[in-house]
Amino acid sequence: MSVLIKNGNVVTAADNYVADVFIEGETVSAIGKDLNVEADETIDATGKLVFPGGIDPHVHLDLPFMGTFASDNYETGTKAALFGGTTSVIDYAIQSQGKSMHAALDEWHKKSDHNSFIDYSYHIAVTDLNPDSRREIKDLIKKEGITSFKVFMAYKGALMIDDEQMMSIMNEVREHGGLVAVHATNGDLIDYLVKKHRSEGKLSPLYHYLSQPEITESEASGRFVDLAYYTDVTALIVHLTCEGALNKVRMATQRNQKVFVETCIQYLLLDASLYEKEGFEGAKWVMSPPLRQKKDQDTLWAGLNQGLINLVSTDHCPFFMKQKRMGENDFTKIPNGAPGIEHRLELLYSEGVRKGRISINKFVEVTSTNAAKIFGMFPQKGTIAIGSDADIVIFDPDETHTISAETHHHNCDYSAYEGWEVTGKCKTVLVRGKVAIDKNEIKIEKGYGQFIKRGQSSKVI
Ligand code: URP
Ligand code: ZN
Ligand code: ZN
């Protein structure tokens, strides 16, 4: 099967030019002006952008969390991702305490294999480091293609590890060429504030936000950056939200340290005033870390342009309002997370590129190319080049539409962006050479998505 995408504006992290893209089988085989080739299918992309399929490096599908499960599984979540131009995801396989990391890997394979529309991989979230699990790290990196490990400095009593365990993980991961990713907030300080608010009877969603002030994130980020410097491990702070935390990364550059940083689309666009909405409404945006202030959004946009922030993900972790209501009388019981996997590209294009906050090349870099590079998938993924997987979005830069729970594909009864008008729409999406979305319809079956065995990580991208 061959596909010719004709006359589109081909955009990568480096280039922007009008050309034809010829795909044979699953990969790109030629790029050029007026290609003289015979194709089984020709798509006219005149006036459209043609860019690499999005890679969302931070999602939670079918996650068991806080007494319930995230409401999107691999079938529903990757379908929603595809409608929004995301063609690969990296999910978090969570090690259960007392069990091995390989057991987590097996569990997540059961969730995803034969169910995903798009390609996928996992980070392992390390929650229980002992001599046995420590020994697993080498095997996971070298044999399984799982090269990134997330640690939590918060969720005390559930997922949190201490600094001694952190040092141990960092040293082991560095030795075998992997990356340590972190949820960087100070679990003890959060716990102190949670107890204080509870004892004062302050139990509404607003107090989730007030229990995780900026200092909880900037302190932990600084500590993580220091430990990463000391151990020389390749390091990434995920879902970074605020000025104080980014300044810890900025300061580290003064001693020639490089720490990768991910933020999420919600931290660029939404702010903490949402927690002040009437009644229980604010629960829709209860996530950790929480939404921040307008000044933090300015810092994050600047951080993208300064090259300090390398990735924009979603941390997609949806729950129905019925699930959120588990915390109706106590904010600590509201499942943390919100939906967004479908809207990352269109929102970032509309609010970022069209409003002149980032360039179109930066858009491709932070939604696709950097994820492929940081997580060992480049150049198979993350670009449009000869030999690369033909994961491609054909995008109308001028079509306007409105985001709503009525029309989204998330398995969730609310949208975190209800009523947002966006300009720019994914029209056709290809996954490994196959037209997967066209004219707002899905054209592939679940199970088409494949597990991606990833390569080693590197501080150099
Ligand atoms: O609130 C969030 N972010 N839920 C998902 C789990 C995590 O910490 O990433
Ligand atoms: Zn996290
Ligand atoms: Zn997450």
Side-chain angles (χ1 to χ4, degrees):
M1 178 73 185
S2 59
V3 180
L4 179 65
I5 303 172
K6 269 205 87 59
N7 209 30
N9 221 109
V10 179
V11 186
T12 67
D15 296 307
N16 187 353
Y17 53 89
V18 174
D20 300 343
V21 178
F22 185 50
I23 299 154
E24 287 179 291
E26 297 194 344
T27 56
V28 173
S29 66
I31 303 171
K33 266 250 182 250
D34 303 321
L35 288 179
N36 187 13
V37 289
E38 287 284 316
D40 299 320
E41 187 176 350
T42 299
I43 302 169
D44 179 12
T46 307
K48 308 276 194 314
L49 304 179
V50 176
F51 53 72
I55 301 172
D56 192 335
H58 191 154
V59 303
H60 301 281
L61 299 172
D62 214 358
L63 172 73
F65 194 43
M66 297 182 73
T68 183
F69 279 81
S71 59
D72 263 321
N73 59 22
Y74 268 83
E75 181 179 348
T76 60
T78 62
K79 188 199 270 188
L82 198 47
F83 273 98
T86 288
T87 53
S88 303
V89 286
I90 314 183
D91 189 2
Y92 285 85
I94 316 279
Q95 178 195 19
S96 299
Q97 281 170 354
K99 289 198 183 160
S100 71
M101 296 189 212
H102 279 85
L105 181 60
D106 291 346
E107 198 182 330
W108 256 260
H109 269 300
K110 281 195 192 109
K111 294 174 193 282
S112 54
D113 296 356
H114 313 295
N115 287 320
S116 185
F117 284 92
I118 64 177
D119 290 350
Y120 56 92
S121 179
Y122 327 109
H123 315 276
I124 297 278
V126 185
T127 62
D128 189 357
L129 195 74
N130 54 53
D132 288 340
S133 60
R134 192 184 157 130
R135 273 191 291 276
E136 291 187 87
I137 288 175
K138 179 178 176 189
D139 191 68
L140 287 163
I141 294 175
K142 306 278 184 204
K143 291 199 187 134
E144 306 290 349
I146 301 290
T147 54
S148 43
F149 299 83
K150 181 179 180 184
V151 288
F152 293 85
M153 296 168 87
Y155 298 122
K156 209 175 165 194
L159 306 170
M160 181 170 152
I161 60 156
D162 62 26
D163 292 350
E164 186 187 342
Q165 291 170 309
M166 176 82 86
M167 288 292 291
S168 187
I169 293 168
M170 283 180 162
N171 279 322
E172 193 70 20
V173 169
R174 185 209 57 242
E175 202 176 318
H176 303 296
L179 171 151
V180 173
V182 71
H183 178 120
T185 56
N186 182 320
D188 285 308
L189 184 44
I190 292 169
D191 248 36
Y192 168 81
L193 291 170
V194 164
K195 282 182 192 141
K196 178 175 176 296
H197 288 134
R198 273 176 136 173
S199 71
E200 292 164 0
K202 295 171 173 164
L203 295 168
S204 73
L206 175 66
Y207 289 93
H208 169 79
Y209 165 63
L210 294 174
S211 299
Q212 298 199 35
E214 182 173 5
I215 190 91
T216 60
E217 191 176 337
S218 54
E219 185 283 328
S221 300
R223 186 156 34 102
F224 175 78
V225 165
D226 281 344
L227 298 182
Y229 182 66
Y230 186 66
T231 56
D232 198 27
V233 71
T234 303
L236 164 71
I237 300 177
V238 300
H239 51 42
L240 182 141
T241 69
C242 59
E243 185 182 19
L246 194 63
N247 280 343
K248 296 291 165 63
V249 175
R250 196 188 307 276
M251 271 159 57
T253 66
Q254 293 173 357
R255 61 185 178 197
N256 306 322
Q257 186 184 2
K258 173 68 189 166
V259 172
F260 294 120
V261 174
E262 170 203 272
T263 191
C264 307
I265 189 71
Q266 59 271 29
Y267 301 122
L268 287 161
L269 301 182
L270 306 175
D271 69 76
S273 61
L274 290 166
Y275 298 120
E276 285 166 31
K277 280 185 175 275
E278 238 355 64
F280 193 60
E281 186 82 357
K284 290 178 177 170
W285 299 277
V286 163
M287 60 183 78
S288 293
L291 301 172
R292 301 285 184 202
Q293 307 285 317
K294 294 259 190 240
K295 59 106 183 155
D296 298 298
Q297 295 178 348
D298 294 342
T299 296
L300 298 181
W301 287 110
L304 287 170
N305 283 315
Q306 291 160 346
L308 287 171
I309 299 178
N310 313 99
L311 303 163
V312 177
S313 70
T314 58
D315 195 2
H316 179 73
C317 192
F319 298 97
F320 279 83
M321 282 313 284
K322 186 169 142 222
Q323 294 172 287
K324 289 273 183 187
R325 271 191 209 99
M326 288 161 58
E328 194 139 32
N329 301 314
D330 178 355
F331 68 88
T332 66
K333 296 195 168 62
I334 302 171
N336 284 201
I341 203 169
E342 186 169 350
H343 305 306
R344 179 180 64 126
L345 297 186
E346 290 169 352
L347 279 167
L348 191 66
Y349 181 82
S350 190
E351 292 294 315
V353 180
R354 283 199 78 102
K355 294 196 171 166
R357 288 156 152 163
I358 55 168
S359 73
I360 185 71
N361 302 104
K362 178 63 79 178
F363 166 83
V364 173
E365 188 189 320
V366 299
T367 56
S368 182
T369 313
N370 279 348
K373 288 182 174 175
I374 291 169
F375 297 113
M377 300 183 279
F378 189 82
Q380 181 195 347
K381 303 284 187 195
T383 191
I384 298 178
I386 292 167
S388 294
D389 282 358
D391 297 338
I392 294 177
V393 178
I394 302 173
F395 190 82
D396 183 339
D398 299 313
E399 186 172 323
T400 297
H401 58 112
T402 304
I403 295 175
S404 172
E406 304 275 302
T407 48
H408 73 194
H409 297 85
H410 300 142
N411 185 38
C412 189
D413 57 354
Y414 77 92
S415 172
Y417 304 94
E418 187 67 39
W420 276 61
E421 200 168 277
V422 290
T423 303
K425 179 133 184 58
C426 299
K427 300 299 288 182
T428 306
V429 183
L430 289 89
V431 182
R432 278 182 287 101
K434 236 186 158 124
V435 173
I437 297 286
D438 195 38
K439 298 191 181 63
N440 239 350
E441 275 177 23
I442 193 143
K443 304 281 181 191
I444 56 173
E445 301 293 323
K446 72 169 184 173
Y448 179 75
Q450 289 178 355
F451 176 69
I452 310 163
K453 217 169 176 177
R454 295 187 281 120
Q456 294 205 343
S457 303
S458 158
K459 284 202 198 71
V460 181
I461 57 169

